[in-house]
Amino acid sequence: MPHLSRVLHDAPRRSAPAHRQTAGELFGKAINLSGRRRFTSQRVVLYAVLASQGRDGALVTSRDALATFREAHSALLDGELSPDALGDELTPAYFGADRADERITAFIELAERTLDAIAHDGRHVETLLEQLVDSTTPLLVTLNRLTQLYEDLARQHAASTKKQLTAVMGDIEQIAKHARIVSFNAQVVAARAGTSGREFAVVSGEMTQITGKLDGLVREAVRSAVA
């Protein structure tokens, strides 16, 4: 018979359940990534200009900023942060008349060509760099609009969640109110029953404590919901 410690060692280990992020956490992450795109887009252009002037380390810094920008944009288009997951308003913003995704992708491609040209002393560095600088302002307008949209959606979701939570807490408060009435009536009946109602009185007392705790939880939840 195998030793118990060996059995436990060889047994498959169950991983702890992954934390499932709330909608509020997802919106917070999206706002952070959207803001990161704004910052890194400016960093890409600034250090591209410095790299064209021969500043040490500027080319590497610009490439790193571009990689961060690209990763943030990809994260906002796929999976749990995608427009389909976070809100219908995001889809037309990225792929509709605003063409945000097209503008952002064009910026990434232009930045890559510009940095490659700088790295290899290409003939078109000056032209590409001028185009990159000119794209900065319209791109920033697009990125600011997207960040504002994420913030608006987050506020709308928070307001809706608070409204729903307040309604649920109201229902629970009504249940607690009826429970208190039942508890009071039970105490009256137990008192009239004398000795034979002693155990029933203990149960009634416990019920009173429970409803008191429930009241406190309701008040705390409502305060949190409207904070």
Side-chain angles (χ1 to χ4, degrees):
M1 182 176 180
H3 195 275
L4 178 59
S5 61
R6 181 174 180 80
V7 173
L8 293 176
H9 181 271
D10 294 339
R13 298 180 180 178
R14 296 180 181 179
S15 58
H19 168 64
R20 185 174 182 178
Q21 298 185 84
T22 65
E25 290 173 327
L26 293 177
F27 274 117
K29 184 184 294 186
I31 292 171
N32 178 273
L33 287 172
S34 190
R36 188 179 303 174
R37 282 187 310 194
R38 291 188 299 180
F39 169 73
T40 52
S41 68
Q42 305 304 297
R43 192 172 176 84
V44 167
V45 177
L46 172 62
Y47 280 91
V49 171
L50 294 176
S52 70
Q53 298 172 356
R55 187 71 60 88
D56 290 342
L59 184 61
V60 172
T61 301
S62 185
R63 287 194 187 281
D64 289 345
L66 181 58
T68 301
F69 180 89
R70 185 191 295 109
E71 290 170 1
H73 182 57
S74 296
L76 289 168
L77 291 185
D78 299 320
E80 62 186 10
L81 301 179
S82 68
D84 290 339
L86 291 187
D88 296 336
E89 297 90 337
L90 290 166
T91 299
Y94 276 105
F95 306 109
D98 289 345
R99 300 182 294 125
D101 178 58
E102 182 180 327
R103 295 175 188 273
I104 293 171
T105 301
F107 171 79
I108 293 173
E109 294 173 351
L110 176 59
E112 288 175 339
R113 293 200 307 272
T114 303
L115 295 177
D116 286 344
I118 294 173
H120 298 93
D121 295 324
R123 293 181 301 172
H124 304 294
V125 170
E126 186 175 342
T127 300
L128 289 170
L129 193 59
E130 183 178 353
Q131 293 175 2
L132 186 64
V133 172
D134 289 344
S135 72
T136 303
T137 298
L139 175 69
L140 192 57
V141 171
T142 296
L143 296 177
N144 284 338
R145 187 181 302 121
L146 288 171
T147 301
Q148 184 63 54
L149 181 54
Y150 282 115
E151 292 173 352
D152 291 343
L153 289 172
R155 281 192 291 268
Q156 291 172 17
H157 173 77
S160 176
T161 300
K162 288 178 181 179
K163 183 177 180 180
Q164 293 174 7
L165 180 58
T166 301
V168 171
M169 290 300 101
D171 291 339
I172 295 177
E173 195 169 29
Q174 287 298 315
I175 294 173
K177 180 179 179 180
H178 289 303
R180 286 195 298 273
I181 294 173
V182 172
S183 177
F184 175 76
N185 290 337
Q187 290 176 9
V188 172
V189 172
R192 290 176 178 174
T195 304
S196 59
R198 186 179 303 165
E199 293 183 2
F200 192 57
V202 172
V203 174
S204 176
E206 289 294 330
M207 189 174 181
T208 299
Q209 292 184 22
I210 292 172
T211 55
K213 292 180 180 178
L214 184 58
D215 286 341
L217 291 173
V218 168
R219 287 193 294 271
E220 182 62 30
V222 172
R223 279 198 299 269
S224 299
V226 299

